[in-house]
Amino acid sequence: MADYDESIRLKQDDASAYINRGNVCYALGQYQQAIDNFNKTIKLNINSDEAYNFRGVAYGKLGQYQQAIDNFNEAIKLKPGSADAYNNRGYAYLLQRNKELGCLDARKACELGLCKSLEWAKVKGLCR
């Protein structure tokens, strides 16, 4: 964390330092601080599909599933082949009890090579 703080101090417009610091905050369970860093990343680089995806995951950890879905939508718009974003949006929909959209996204993520949400949903009896 100290290294990213120093990097940002030296170069305040370095979007990669903010996204990396956000990931450290996320790993430490500091979800709002992670979101704040991802916000800064997006302000510096509006086309960062990763920042939208990571911010969505952090919102999901806070139980703010609609905000998470909105971020995954942006990530998918920027990178339509993002298995991570489809996988994460599928989880968020399923946690909102929207099996139709959740299973659709879980299947799409699996087609793109990431089957975590689909496997989880099948175990839970949510998707076939």
Side-chain angles (χ1 to χ4, degrees), residues 46-105:
I46 193 74
N47 294 316
S48 176
D49 63 285
E50 286 183 317
Y52 284 106
N53 188 52
F54 293 148
R55 188 169 71 175
V57 172
Y59 274 122
K61 285 291 191 177
L62 294 175
Q64 298 175 16
Y65 301 121
Q66 190 55 54
Q67 290 91 331
I69 289 167
D70 292 344
N71 278 273
F72 301 137
N73 289 341
E74 285 299 316
I76 290 166
K77 186 165 57 169
L78 290 167
K79 187 177 177 186
S82 175
D84 284 330
Y86 277 106
N87 183 73
N88 294 333
R89 191 173 71 177
Y91 273 127
Y93 278 132
L94 290 167
L95 292 169
Q96 283 187 318
R97 299 189 183 346
N98 186 335
K99 291 194 312 188
E100 181 180 345
L101 292 177
C103 293
L104 186 67
D105 276 354

Side-chain angles (χ1 to χ4, degrees), residues 1 15 20 22 26 31 35 47 56 62 72 95 103 109 115 126:
M1 182 74 83
N20 289 327
Y26 178 87
Y31 305 122
I35 290 167
N47 294 316
L62 294 175
F72 301 137
L95 292 169
C103 293
C115 297
L126 302 171

